[in-house]
Coordinates of all heavy atoms in Angstrom, one line a residue:
A188 N 14.6 22.6 2.9 CA 13.6 21.5 2.8 C 12.2 22.0 2.6 O 11.7 23.1 3.0 CB 13.8 20.6 4.1
P189 N 11.3 21.1 2.2 CA 9.8 21.4 2.2 C 9.2 21.7 3.6 O 10.0 21.3 4.5 CB 9.1 20.2 1.5 CG 10.3 19.4 0.9 CD 11.5 19.8 1.6
G190 N 8.1 22.3 3.6 CA 7.4 22.4 4.9 C 6.1 21.9 4.8 O 5.9 20.6 4.7
G191 N 5.0 22.8 4.8 CA 3.6 22.3 4.8 C 3.3 21.6 3.4 O 2.2 20.9 3.3
D192 N 4.3 21.8 2.4 CA 3.8 21.2 1.1 C 4.3 19.8 1.1 O 4.0 19.2 0.1 CB 4.6 22.1 0.0 CG 6.1 22.3 0.2 OD1 6.4 22.5 1.4 OD2 6.8 22.4 -0.7
D193 N 4.8 19.3 2.0 CA 5.1 17.8 2.2 C 3.9 17.4 3.1 O 4.0 17.5 4.4 CB 6.6 17.6 2.9 CG 6.7 16.2 3.3 OD1 5.9 15.2 2.9 OD2 7.8 15.9 4.0
L194 N 3.0 16.6 2.4 CA 1.8 16.1 3.3 C 2.1 15.0 4.2 O 1.3 14.8 5.1 CB 0.7 15.7 2.3 CG 0.3 16.7 1.3 CD1 -0.7 16.0 0.3 CD2 -0.3 18.0 1.9
I195 N 3.2 14.4 4.2 CA 3.6 13.2 4.9 C 4.4 13.6 6.2 O 3.9 13.2 7.3 CB 4.2 12.1 4.1 CG1 3.5 11.8 2.9 CG2 4.5 10.8 5.0 CD1 2.0 11.3 3.0
Y196 N 5.5 14.2 6.0 CA 6.3 14.5 7.2 C 6.6 15.9 7.3 O 7.5 16.3 8.2 CB 7.7 13.8 7.0 CG 7.6 12.3 7.2 CD1 8.3 11.4 6.4 CD2 6.8 11.8 8.3 CE1 8.0 9.9 6.6 CE2 6.7 10.4 8.6 CZ 7.3 9.5 7.7 OH 7.4 8.1 7.9
G197 N 6.0 16.8 6.7 CA 6.2 18.2 6.8 C 7.8 18.7 6.6 O 8.1 19.7 7.3
G198 N 8.4 18.0 5.8 CA 9.8 18.3 5.6 C 10.8 17.8 6.5 O 12.0 18.2 6.5
D199 N 10.3 17.0 7.5 CA 11.3 16.4 8.5 C 12.2 15.4 7.7 O 11.7 14.2 7.6 CB 10.5 15.8 9.6 CG 11.4 15.3 10.8 OD1 12.5 14.9 10.5 OD2 10.9 15.3 11.9
M200 N 13.3 15.7 7.5 CA 14.3 14.9 6.6 C 14.7 13.8 7.5 O 15.1 12.6 6.8 CB 15.3 15.7 6.1 CG 15.0 16.8 5.0 SD 13.8 16.3 3.8 CE 14.7 15.0 2.9
E201 N 14.8 13.8 8.7 CA 15.2 12.5 9.5 C 14.2 11.5 9.4 O 14.6 10.3 9.2 CB 15.4 13.0 10.9 CG 16.7 13.8 11.3 CD 17.0 14.0 12.7 OE1 16.1 13.5 13.5 OE2 18.0 14.5 13.1
R202 N 13.0 11.9 9.4 CA 11.8 10.9 9.2 C 11.9 10.3 7.8 O 11.7 9.1 7.7 CB 10.5 11.5 9.5 CG 10.3 11.9 11.0 CD 9.0 12.2 11.4 NE 8.8 12.4 12.9 CZ 7.6 12.2 13.5 NH1 6.4 12.1 12.7 NH2 7.6 12.5 14.7
W203 N 12.3 11.1 6.8 CA 12.4 10.7 5.5 C 13.5 9.6 5.4 O 13.4 8.6 4.6 CB 12.6 11.8 4.5 CG 11.1 12.4 4.0 CD1 10.7 13.6 4.3 CD2 10.1 11.7 3.3 NE1 9.4 13.8 3.8 CE2 9.2 12.7 3.2 CE3 10.0 10.4 2.9 CZ2 7.8 12.4 2.5 CZ3 8.8 10.1 2.1 CH2 7.7 11.0 2.0
A204 N 14.6 10.0 6.1 CA 15.7 9.0 6.2 C 15.3 7.6 6.7 O 15.7 6.5 6.1 CB 16.9 9.6 6.9
H205 N 14.5 7.7 7.8 CA 14.1 6.5 8.4 C 13.0 5.7 7.3 O 13.1 4.5 7.4 CB 13.3 6.8 9.7 CG 14.2 7.5 10.7 ND1 13.7 8.0 11.8 CD2 15.6 7.6 10.8 CE1 14.7 8.5 12.6 NE2 15.8 8.3 11.9
F206 N 12.2 6.5 6.7 CA 11.3 5.9 5.8 C 12.1 5.2 4.6 O 11.8 4.1 4.2 CB 10.4 7.0 5.2 CG 9.4 6.6 4.1 CD1 8.2 6.1 4.4 CD2 9.8 6.4 2.8 CE1 7.3 5.8 3.5 CE2 8.9 6.0 1.9 CZ 7.6 5.7 2.2
A207 N 13.3 5.8 4.1 CA 14.0 5.4 3.1 C 14.7 4.0 3.6 O 14.7 3.1 2.7 CB 15.1 6.3 2.6
N208 N 15.3 4.0 4.8 CA 15.8 2.8 5.3 C 14.8 1.7 5.3 O 15.1 0.6 4.9 CB 16.5 3.0 6.6 CG 17.6 4.0 6.6 OD1 18.3 4.1 5.6 ND2 17.9 4.8 7.7
T209 N 13.7 1.9 5.8 CA 12.6 0.9 5.9 C 12.2 0.5 4.5 O 12.0 -0.8 4.3 CB 11.4 1.5 6.8 OG1 11.9 2.1 7.9 CG2 10.5 0.4 7.1
L210 N 12.0 1.4 3.5 CA 11.7 1.0 2.2 C 12.7 0.1 1.5 O 12.4 -0.9 1.0 CB 11.4 2.2 1.4 CG 11.1 2.1 -0.1 CD1 9.9 1.3 -0.2 CD2 11.0 3.4 -0.8
K211 N 14.0 0.4 1.8 CA 15.0 -0.4 1.4 C 15.0 -1.8 2.0 O 15.4 -2.8 1.2 CB 16.5 0.2 1.5 CG 17.5 -0.5 0.8 CD 18.9 0.2 1.0 CE 20.0 -0.5 0.2 NZ 21.3 0.3 0.3
L212 N 14.8 -1.8 3.2 CA 14.6 -3.2 4.0 C 13.5 -3.9 3.3 O 13.6 -5.2 3.0 CB 14.3 -2.9 5.3 CG 14.1 -4.1 6.2 CD1 15.2 -5.1 6.2 CD2 13.8 -3.8 7.7
K213 N 12.4 -3.4 3.0 CA 11.2 -4.0 2.4 C 11.6 -4.5 1.0 O 11.2 -5.6 0.5 CB 10.0 -3.1 2.4 CG 8.8 -3.7 1.7 CD 7.5 -2.8 1.9 CE 7.5 -1.7 0.8 NZ 6.2 -1.0 0.8
I214 N 12.4 -3.7 0.2 CA 12.7 -4.1 -1.2 C 13.7 -5.3 -1.1 O 13.4 -6.3 -1.8 CB 13.5 -2.9 -1.8 CG1 12.5 -1.8 -2.2 CG2 14.3 -3.4 -3.1 CD1 13.3 -0.6 -2.7
G215 N 14.6 -5.3 -0.1 CA 15.5 -6.6 0.0 C 14.7 -7.8 0.4 O 14.8 -8.8 -0.1
L216 N 13.8 -7.6 1.4 CA 13.1 -8.8 1.8 C 12.2 -9.3 0.8 O 11.8 -10.5 0.8 CB 12.3 -8.5 3.2 CG 13.3 -8.3 4.3 CD1 12.4 -8.0 5.5 CD2 14.0 -9.7 4.7
R217 N 11.6 -8.4 -0.1 CA 10.7 -8.9 -1.3 C 11.5 -10.0 -2.0 O 10.7 -10.8 -2.6 CB 10.3 -7.7 -2.1 CG 9.0 -8.0 -2.8 CD 7.7 -7.9 -2.0 NE 7.1 -6.7 -2.0 CZ 6.5 -6.1 -1.0 NH1 6.4 -6.8 0.2 NH2 5.9 -4.9 -1.0
L218 N 12.7 -9.8 -2.2 CA 13.5 -10.9 -3.0 C 13.8 -12.1 -2.2 O 14.7 -12.9 -2.9 CB 14.7 -10.1 -3.5 CG 14.5 -8.7 -4.3 CD1 15.9 -8.2 -4.5 CD2 13.7 -8.9 -5.4
A219 N 13.5 -12.3 -0.9 CA 14.0 -13.3 -0.2 C 13.8 -14.7 -0.6 O 14.6 -15.6 -0.6 CB 13.4 -13.2 1.3
K220 N 12.7 -14.8 -1.3 CA 12.3 -16.3 -1.7 C 12.9 -16.5 -3.2 O 13.5 -17.7 -3.4 CB 10.8 -16.4 -1.9 CG 10.3 -17.7 -2.6 CD 8.8 -17.8 -2.8 CE 8.3 -19.0 -3.6 NZ 6.9 -19.1 -3.7
K221 N 13.0 -15.5 -4.0 CA 13.4 -15.8 -5.4 C 14.9 -15.7 -5.4 O 15.6 -16.4 -6.2 CB 12.9 -14.7 -6.2 CG 13.3 -14.8 -7.6 CD 12.5 -15.9 -8.3 CE 12.8 -16.1 -9.7 NZ 12.1 -17.3 -10.3
D222 N 15.5 -14.7 -4.7 CA 17.1 -14.5 -4.9 C 17.6 -14.2 -3.5 O 17.9 -13.0 -3.2 CB 17.3 -13.5 -5.8 CG 18.7 -13.5 -6.3 OD1 19.6 -13.9 -5.6 OD2 19.1 -12.9 -7.2
P223 N 17.7 -15.1 -2.5 CA 18.1 -14.8 -1.2 C 19.5 -14.1 -1.2 O 19.7 -13.5 -0.2 CB 18.1 -16.2 -0.4 CG 18.1 -17.2 -1.6 CD 17.4 -16.6 -2.6
V224 N 20.4 -14.5 -2.0 CA 21.7 -14.0 -1.9 C 21.7 -12.5 -2.2 O 22.3 -11.7 -1.5 CB 22.7 -14.7 -2.9 CG1 24.0 -14.0 -3.0 CG2 23.0 -16.1 -2.6
R225 N 21.0 -12.1 -3.3 CA 20.7 -10.7 -3.5 C 20.1 -10.0 -2.5 O 20.4 -8.8 -2.1 CB 20.0 -10.7 -4.9 CG 19.7 -9.3 -5.5 CD 19.2 -9.4 -6.9 NE 18.4 -8.4 -7.3 CZ 17.7 -8.4 -8.5 NH1 17.5 -9.5 -9.2 NH2 17.1 -7.2 -8.9
A226 N 19.0 -10.6 -2.0 CA 18.2 -10.0 -0.9 C 19.0 -9.7 0.3 O 19.0 -8.6 0.9 CB 17.0 -11.0 -0.4

Side-chain angles (χ1 to χ4, degrees):
D192 47 330
D193 171 11
L194 303 180
I195 307 304
Y196 288 134
D199 186 329
M200 298 310 297
E201 287 189 355
R202 293 192 173 196
W203 277 115
H205 301 166
F206 180 95
N208 291 334
T209 312
L210 178 58
K211 188 174 183 180
L212 178 58
K213 183 172 74 169
I214 288 171
L216 289 174
R217 199 76 96 213
L218 306 176
K220 174 182 175 180
K221 185 66 176 180
D222 193 343
V224 173
R225 183 173 159 192

